[in-house]
Amino acid sequence: MSEGTATTTTTELTSQYISQVASDLERNIKEQERITAELTELQQQLTTLQQDHTVLVSIQQALGVPATVPDSASPDSASVPSPRKRTTKAPGTRRPAKTGTAQQPRTKKQPGSKPAARKAAAKATRPTLVNLVHRHLTEQSEPRSAAEVAEALGHAHPDRNIATTVVRTTLENLVAKSLAQRTKQGSSVYYTAADAPKPTAPTGEAQPETAG
């Protein structure tokens, strides 16, 4: 093979490699873009589900229903691995004798377990939304709408996600238990504590709220 033929062959191979690498690189970039788009969509779905979960838990607390753990989160629902099969020892073999005292494995401390336990205990002991709403009504001298109660509790407890719809459900639950009274003025609904004096027309600018 002449020198010119060898040079031509090498050039063709180099061109093929360059074309192949460029094609693979383009395919890799497109695959990254596709996976990134899917991750973004999944993250948005997860955020929406978490927000819905927070609202649903708040409604459960407002109705006095204890929080439930889904079966999928229960330890008992996890699949248990099948036991390992014991291997049959060959006849005449002996197990090696143990020398010295067996050393017990050290258990590693879970980092951050104490702060997590303290945080869970503090969350368990904090008052429920029902108690907060009822206490707020007893401290008021004038009727309050659900929007006004939600706004006041939101300022007093910024760490809690207090929605107007959940507060309205809580107020109606208190009315059903004869712990609060409902008064209607036009298209607006106002609430007072059951042991408060007979409600009068609210003074000042109050946010109107449609019944229901």
Side-chain angles (χ1 to χ4, degrees), residues 24-168:
D24 293 342
L25 182 59
E26 182 180 0
R27 185 164 49 252
N28 182 282
I29 293 175
K30 289 183 179 180
E31 188 70 11
Q32 290 185 43
E33 292 176 350
R34 181 184 65 81
I35 294 177
T36 301
E38 291 180 358
L39 288 176
T40 302
E41 183 179 357
L42 290 175
Q43 184 62 42
Q44 293 175 352
Q45 294 179 4
L46 177 60
T47 301
T48 302
L49 289 174
Q50 289 174 342
Q51 293 175 351
D52 293 344
H53 178 269
T54 302
V55 174
L56 292 174
V57 170
S58 300
I59 294 176
Q60 271 193 337
Q61 293 178 353
L63 298 176
V65 180
T68 57
V69 179
D71 295 339
S72 59
S74 175
D76 297 336
S77 64
S79 59
V80 180
S82 58
R84 299 177 60 184
K85 296 182 179 180
R86 298 181 58 183
T87 56
T88 306
K89 295 190 302 181
T93 58
R94 295 182 180 180
R95 299 178 62 182
K98 296 183 179 180
T99 58
T101 305
Q103 184 177 2
Q104 297 292 337
R106 294 182 179 181
T107 57
K108 295 183 179 180
K109 294 183 178 180
Q110 300 275 346
S113 58
K114 290 184 178 180
R118 286 197 297 266
K119 184 177 180 181
K123 185 176 181 180
T125 57
R126 69 178 183 177
T128 62
L129 183 62
V130 177
N131 294 334
L132 291 178
V133 172
H134 184 257
R135 184 188 309 168
H136 180 75
L137 287 182
T138 58
E139 295 173 352
Q140 306 303 312
S141 59
E142 298 177 353
R144 290 290 184 266
S145 66
E148 291 172 332
V149 175
E151 182 179 1
L153 293 179
H155 288 303
H157 304 277
D159 58 322
R160 303 181 68 158
N161 185 14
I162 300 178
T164 303
T165 54
V166 179
V167 172
R168 184 183 297 108

